[in-house]
């Protein structure tokens, strides 16, 4: 048991050292979207055939894409990486407006529970809130094609 | 039993290797080497590591119990000498190859191993992101044959430890290529970058622990290509840095699939043991299907480019 405690302690100390080192350089790594074409290019890495109207977040940290067939594409920044999801009916658990500009989303996906998209245009914010609100509820989900591994 | 000095030496090497992580962070921040660290990703690696150590401590008896039981009923007495250790090391590396291949090709085992692949970054701290359930998935049984042959459990454990210690340095972008003979024979950062890639071309490749000969012999070797930069992570990347979600997300996904209505037992088995991406209605894609789609897309692209080129 003592060797287990020592191993965990070593990891925690290592975590502290890494925290200090990485906090010192935080911010240098972050990337932002330059526009709609960049957003769709990042989204296509995950969903190669995707196309649609793009709303880029005001802070450049994400984007929403109106895809055909009732689905919405979500792109969100993770440090220097981008994550994408195709949101179909039933995938969104709740949509709230946060602080006037932020759209706070909660998903049914255990591996991606929430996201926040900042939109500075009040009209776009209201439209996307309604659009994503239509994807809430665990009503019968239509079958769909998705690029998914596991 | 094996002299404890070997274990002390292994522990000392392990601690020295852990020191390389902050050194890599520091060198990367000074732009001396190529390495990308992200604060939350790295802290998630540490958090997952703490859980992994805890569960190894709690469930490690399954490993030692199985191996010790087999050794009690062994066929031969293999002495502990330098040559028997080398033999155990090579045989255990073959065992590792198949453990690794099964871990990628069957969803129940992938649910445990996916944790190690779930970061979109690839650096020395990726070593820390290890499964919480490796003892419980059942693949510990693959350790039994060596003990049944007659290798001492302590020798097997040491061979496995050395194998894992070797694999520490290959989790890096800071080393491009090793000499050609080295790349042919041994696992290297280049080969392992391919293994951690989510590009369809690179999926399910380079399972080796130490010796690349297993991948070359069993047809799973794929070289890193200059025209295809590696995208790290999994096909459906995680949107969380929570260690519990990282460690358990695929089990939750399997449970949800098993609870679907109107599935036959064969279909439920498919969701449990089938390859990752298998689905009863074809709504998802396996690695082979992703590769086929990608290959078809590549085939289409040059034609479009040629027709668009001005005369």
């Amino acid at each position: 048991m003592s060797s287990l405690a020592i191993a965990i302690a070593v990891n925690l100390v290592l975590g502290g050292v890494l925290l200090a080192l990485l906090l010192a350089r935080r911010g240098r790594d972050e990337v932002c979207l330059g526009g709609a074409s960049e957003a769709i290019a990042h989204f296509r890495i995950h969903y190669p055939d995707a196309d649609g109207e793009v709303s880029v977040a005001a802070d450049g940290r994400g984007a929403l894409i109106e895809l055909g067939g009732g689905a919405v594409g979500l792109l969100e920044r993770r440090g220097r990486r981008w994550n994408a999801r195709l949101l179909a009916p039933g995938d969104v658990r709740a949509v709230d407006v946060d602080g006037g500009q932020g759209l706070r989303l909660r998903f049914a996906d255990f591996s991606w529970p929430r996201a926040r998209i900042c939109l500075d245009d009040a009209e776009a914010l209201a439209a996307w809130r309604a659009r994503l609100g239509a994807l809430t509820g665990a009503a019968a989900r239509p079958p769909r094609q998705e690029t998914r591994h596991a | 039993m094996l002299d404890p000095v070997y274990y002390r030496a292994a522990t000392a090497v392990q601690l020295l290797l852990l020191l390389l992580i902050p050194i890599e962070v520091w060198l990367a921040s000074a732009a001396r080497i190529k390495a990308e660290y992200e604060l939350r990703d790295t802290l998630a690696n540490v958090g997952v590591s703490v859980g992994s150590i805890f569960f190894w401590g709690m469930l490690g008896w399954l490993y030692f119990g199985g191996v010790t039981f087999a050794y009690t009923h062994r066929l031969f007495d293999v002495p502990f000498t330098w040559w028997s250790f080398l033999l155990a090391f090579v045989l255990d590396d073959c065992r590792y190859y198949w453990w690794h291949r099964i871990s990628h090709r069957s969803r129940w085992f992938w649910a445990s191993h996916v944790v190690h692949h779930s970061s979109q970054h690839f650096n020395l701290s990726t070593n820390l992101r290890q499964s919480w359930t490796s003892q419980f998935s059942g693949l510990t049984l693959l350790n039994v044959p060596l003990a049944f042959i007659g290798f001492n459990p302590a020798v097997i454990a040491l061979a496995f430890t050395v194998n894992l210690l070797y694999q520490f340095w290959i989790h890096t972008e800071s080393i491009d290529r090793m000499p050609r003979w080295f790349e042919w024979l041994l696992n290297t950062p280049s080969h392992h970058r391919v293994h951690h890639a989510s590009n369809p071309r690179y999926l399910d490749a380079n399972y080796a622990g130490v010796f690349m000969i297993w991948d070359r012999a069993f047809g799973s070797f794929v070289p890193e290509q200059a025209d295809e930069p590696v995208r790290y992570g999994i096909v459906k990347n995680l949107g969380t840095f929570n260690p519990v979600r990282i460690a358990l997300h695929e089990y939750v996904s399997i449970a949800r699939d098993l609870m679907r209505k109107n599935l036959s037992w064969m279909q439920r088995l498919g969701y449990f043991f089938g390859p990752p991406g298998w689905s009863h209605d074809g709504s998802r894609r396996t690695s082979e299907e992703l590769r086929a789609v990608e290959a078809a897309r590549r085939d289409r692209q040059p034609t479009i480019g040629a027709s668009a080129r001005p005369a």
Side-chain angles (χ1 to χ4, degrees), chain A residues 39-51 65 67 71-75 83-88 91 109 112 144-149, chain B residues 231 235-237 283 285 290 293-294 297:
Chain A
I40 200 80
H42 284 302
F43 193 78
R44 280 185 185 148
I45 290 172
H46 303 270
Y47 299 94
D49 300 322
D51 203 2
I65 307 165
L67 304 167
V72 169
L74 168 69
L75 188 72
N83 256 3
R85 279 289 193 281
L86 191 149
L87 302 172
D91 286 344
D109 185 347
W112 192 339
R144 64 180 185 192
Q145 288 291 321
E146 58 171 335
T147 305
R148 188 178 163 183
H149 191 245
Chain B
R231 293 193 306 274
V235 173
K236 189 184 176 191
N237 282 307
S283 60
R285 287 174 184 156
L290 287 170
V293 169
E294 178 69 10
R297 187 173 293 115

Side-chain angles (χ1 to χ4, degrees), chain B residues 1-3 6 78-86 152 154-155 158:
Chain B
M1 288 298 284
L2 195 58
D3 191 330
Y6 293 104
V78 181
F80 179 47
T81 63
W82 66 269
W83 63 263
S84 68
F85 172 74
L86 283 182
N152 190 301
V155 175
L158 183 64

Side-chain angles (χ1 to χ4, degrees), chain B residues 26 37 39 68 75 106 118 156 162 167 192 208 231 242 244 253 264 267 269 276 303:
Chain B
W26 179 69
Y37 279 82
L39 177 65
T68 305
L75 296 175
S106 174
S118 60
I156 297 170
V162 174
Q167 291 185 48
H192 210 57
R231 293 193 306 274
N242 179 332
V244 175
S253 185
S264 70
Q267 287 169 334
L269 280 175
T303 314

Side-chain angles (χ1 to χ4, degrees), chain A residues 1 3-4 7-8 10-12 14-19 21-23 25-26 28-30 45-49 76-85 93 108-114 143-150, chain B residues 15 18 21-22 25 28-29 36-40 42-43 46 49-50 53-54 57-58 107 110 120-121 128 231-232 235-241 245 248-250 252-253 256 276-278 282-287 290 297:
Chain A
M1 229 17 218
S3 61
L4 180 68
I8 289 175
V10 166
N11 267 265
L12 291 176
L14 178 69
V17 172
L18 291 171
L19 176 67
L21 279 170
L22 290 166
L23 272 177
R25 62 194 287 272
R26 196 174 190 196
R28 287 188 232 170
D29 282 349
E30 295 181 346
I45 290 172
H46 303 270
Y47 299 94
D49 300 322
E76 195 184 37
R77 186 182 79 180
R78 298 267 146 191
R80 296 188 71 170
R81 303 285 186 268
W82 295 94
N83 256 3
R85 279 289 193 281
R93 212 165 247 175
D109 185 347
F110 185 79
S111 70
W112 192 339
R114 59 186 69 87
R144 64 180 185 192
Q145 288 291 321
E146 58 171 335
T147 305
R148 188 178 163 183
H149 191 245
Chain B
L15 289 173
L18 287 176
I21 300 174
V25 173
S29 62
E36 286 185 359
Y37 279 82
E38 204 270 332
L39 177 65
R40 290 170 301 171
T42 307
L43 293 181
V46 174
S49 175
V50 169
I53 293 166
F54 176 78
M58 294 295 107
R107 196 176 174 201
W110 173 241
Q120 287 182 263
H121 295 77
L128 302 173
R231 293 193 306 274
Y232 302 107
V235 173
K236 189 184 176 191
N237 282 307
L238 308 187
T240 179
F241 294 108
R245 289 184 188 271
L248 302 177
H249 72 272
E250 191 61 24
V252 172
S253 185
R256 285 185 174 163
W278 181 90
S283 60
R284 303 175 195 174
R285 287 174 184 156
T286 62
S287 300
L290 287 170
R297 187 173 293 115

Side-chain angles (χ1 to χ4, degrees), chain B residues 295-310:
Chain B
R297 187 173 293 115
R298 278 176 195 278
D299 288 345
R300 282 200 308 270
Q301 278 173 345
T303 314
I304 295 165
S307 63
R309 197 176 300 143

